[in-house]
Amino acid sequence: MHMTKYVSIIGNGESRRGFDITPLKSITTMVGCNAIFRDHNLEYIVACDRHMCQEAANTCGKNTTIYTRQNWYQQFAYWPNVKCVPELPYEGDKRQDDPFHWGTGQFAALVGMTFKPKAIFLVGMDLYGIGSHKGPEGVNNIYKGSKGYTYIKRPVDPRYWIYQFNKLFQNSTCRWIVVNDENWKMPAEWKENKNVFQDTYEGLAKWINRQMNKKDE
């Protein structure tokens, strides 16, 4: 497992639509969620859903490590690049502390922590549904309506996500930078962590440019 200074976790919230994540690949260790492999060739993919893991295993080359949850990874024994997600860094007795109730985004962040970075960027982790829509159009996902996503008929309640990410923030020493639109509201409990910061896509683009210029020097 190589150590790295910066990690970027790429979720599929619609806030990142139109933002070019490609440069992040050369200046961070990038961990992508679910169907992102349809559009980007990444080193690390997390797919907790069994069918999504199967699609990733069939699609990605052997240079991509695919993480899935403990319940299924043995079913992929023939794929040497499919691994089990890391264990949670804490123990709890609530339903939301059970790894089976953890989703791909939180596990992707946990994979990111294993690289012992100085900072982790969370990109496109929008948490909330879109606008006032209660039905499928309120589902906040770039891939909604496509294969593997058709079963999602309404926006997901983000309470578990908020709680579980917060556990990762509390059980890590690195900085977390949550990147989203200017008017996106960070959950109150996240703000209580001294190692959690918020930035915009413009801010991230500027940071990328600075890193790229350093590389060219």
Side-chain angles (χ1 to χ4, degrees), residues 71-121:
N71 306 65
W72 343 119
Y73 90 102
Q74 275 102 348
Q75 297 173 18
F76 294 93
Y78 293 112
W79 277 271
N81 58 331
V82 176
K83 297 197 157 103
C84 183
V85 291
E87 286 187 11
L88 303 190
Y90 77 103
E91 279 178 19
D93 44 19
K94 294 188 172 129
R95 190 166 182 261
Q96 55 265 47
D97 298 319
D98 175 355
F100 194 73
H101 293 296
W102 277 54
T104 294
Q106 302 88 293
F107 272 126
L110 185 55
V111 168
M113 281 167 61
T114 63
F115 298 108
K116 308 259 191 292
K118 271 172 57 172
I120 297 179
F121 293 89

Side-chain angles (χ1 to χ4, degrees), residues 22 77 114 129 134 144 157 189 192:
T22 323
T114 63
K134 298 278 182 271
K144 69 180 172 197
D157 181 337
E189 54 266 54
E192 289 169 18

Side-chain angles (χ1 to χ4, degrees), residues 9 33 46 48 85-86 88-89 96 101-113 122 125 127 158-166 168 176 190:
I9 312 295
C33 295
V46 180
C48 284
V85 291
L88 303 190
Q96 55 265 47
H101 293 296
W102 277 54
T104 294
Q106 302 88 293
F107 272 126
L110 185 55
V111 168
M113 281 167 61
L122 295 180
M125 296 286 180
L127 300 178
R159 275 177 300 190
Y160 276 22
W161 299 344
I162 292 169
Y163 173 91
Q164 291 158 347
F165 272 117
N166 205 42
L168 295 181
W176 296 81
W190 290 14

Side-chain angles (χ1 to χ4, degrees), residues 13-156:
E14 298 196 28
S15 71
R16 77 165 177 84
R17 199 187 285 284
F19 183 83
D20 183 16
I21 59 170
T22 323
L24 281 169
K25 233 170 94 168
S26 62
I27 51 178
T28 69
T29 298
M30 195 186 270
V31 184
C33 295
N34 293 322
I36 193 170
F37 60 79
R38 294 175 188 169
D39 299 313
H40 298 274
N41 176 18
L42 298 185
E43 226 179 326
Y44 303 99
I45 293 283
V46 180
C48 284
D49 175 82
R50 191 172 28 176
H51 300 289
M52 192 57 68
C53 182
Q54 184 68 64
E55 187 190 335
N58 294 341
T59 309
C60 300
K62 55 182 184 298
N63 297 335
T64 300
T65 303
I66 302 160
Y67 290 90
T68 193
R69 63 172 83 248
Q70 193 165 4
N71 306 65
W72 343 119
Y73 90 102
Q74 275 102 348
Q75 297 173 18
F76 294 93
Y78 293 112
W79 277 271
N81 58 331
V82 176
K83 297 197 157 103
C84 183
V85 291
E87 286 187 11
L88 303 190
Y90 77 103
E91 279 178 19
D93 44 19
K94 294 188 172 129
R95 190 166 182 261
Q96 55 265 47
D97 298 319
D98 175 355
F100 194 73
H101 293 296
W102 277 54
T104 294
Q106 302 88 293
F107 272 126
L110 185 55
V111 168
M113 281 167 61
T114 63
F115 298 108
K116 308 259 191 292
K118 271 172 57 172
I120 297 179
F121 293 89
L122 295 180
V123 180
M125 296 286 180
D126 293 359
L127 300 178
Y128 315 109
I130 294 173
S132 56
H133 302 297
K134 298 278 182 271
E137 57 283 2
V139 173
N140 185 346
N141 195 295
I142 284 176
Y143 297 103
K144 69 180 172 197
S146 70
K147 181 175 172 256
Y149 287 87
T150 47
Y151 69 93
I152 308 173
K153 299 284 188 250
R154 58 174 191 274
V156 179

Side-chain angles (χ1 to χ4, degrees), residues 194-212:
K194 298 232 182 317
N195 58 336
V196 179
F197 305 86
Q198 188 170 345
D199 202 354
T200 59
Y201 285 99
E202 293 75 25
L204 180 58
K206 284 180 184 152
W207 181 81
I208 289 170
N209 284 335
R210 284 200 302 274
Q211 300 303 315
M212 298 298 255

